[in-house]
Amino acid sequence: MSWVDIGALDAVPERGARLVKTQMGCVAVFRTGHEEVFAASNTCPHKGGPLAEGIVHGQSVTCPLHNWVFDLNTGEAKGEDGRIDTYPVRVEAGRILIDARTLAARSAA
Ligand code: FES
């Protein structure tokens, strides 16, 4: 893994999300709990809804357009045929770090 800093944990509201621009493209960063974050594609595979504007609940996000629900651990849509890319992230000293290699590999794919 190759961790890069993509911003402060405090920039993402608890039970909320932010779209973060990185050198390898935009990712949606979701904060589900005090120090728990997930990163995934911002684009819903159904009709392109902006997932960073979705509703975060538990370890899932609901797309704001037509309410598809994605598991942020696996990226799988619940009860639908679709998935989003997810990226390894971790929190260290109040900063969010993402695995740049996974991000680069998926954005190049
Ligand atoms: S675009 Fe996300 S559910 Fe339709």
Side-chain angles (χ1 to χ4, degrees), residues 47-104:
K47 292 193 175 176
L51 294 174
E53 295 173 26
I55 295 171
V56 177
H57 49 99
Q59 294 185 332
S60 301
V61 62
T62 296
C63 180
L65 293 194
H66 314 97
N67 299 328
W68 281 27
V69 178
F70 297 90
D71 183 324
L72 293 171
N73 288 290
T74 63
E76 298 290 334
K78 297 181 182 177
E80 306 285 355
D81 189 18
R83 67 176 303 280
I84 52 175
D85 284 336
T86 57
Y87 310 106
V89 277
R90 64 191 175 100
V91 175
E92 195 175 287
R95 307 292 299 181
I96 300 170
L97 308 178
I98 194 166
D99 178 35
R101 281 198 200 134
T102 307
L103 188 56

Side-chain angles (χ1 to χ4, degrees), residues 16-37:
R18 281 278 181 277
L19 186 62
V20 175
K21 286 184 184 153
T22 77
Q23 289 181 337
M24 291 143 288
C26 291
V27 288
V29 178
F30 302 91
R31 185 172 176 190
T32 58
H34 185 53
E35 291 232 328
E36 187 179 57
V37 293

Side-chain angles (χ1 to χ4, degrees), residues 34-49:
H34 185 53
E35 291 232 328
E36 187 179 57
V37 293
F38 295 90
S41 162
N42 185 48
T43 307
C44 178
H46 178 221
K47 292 193 175 176

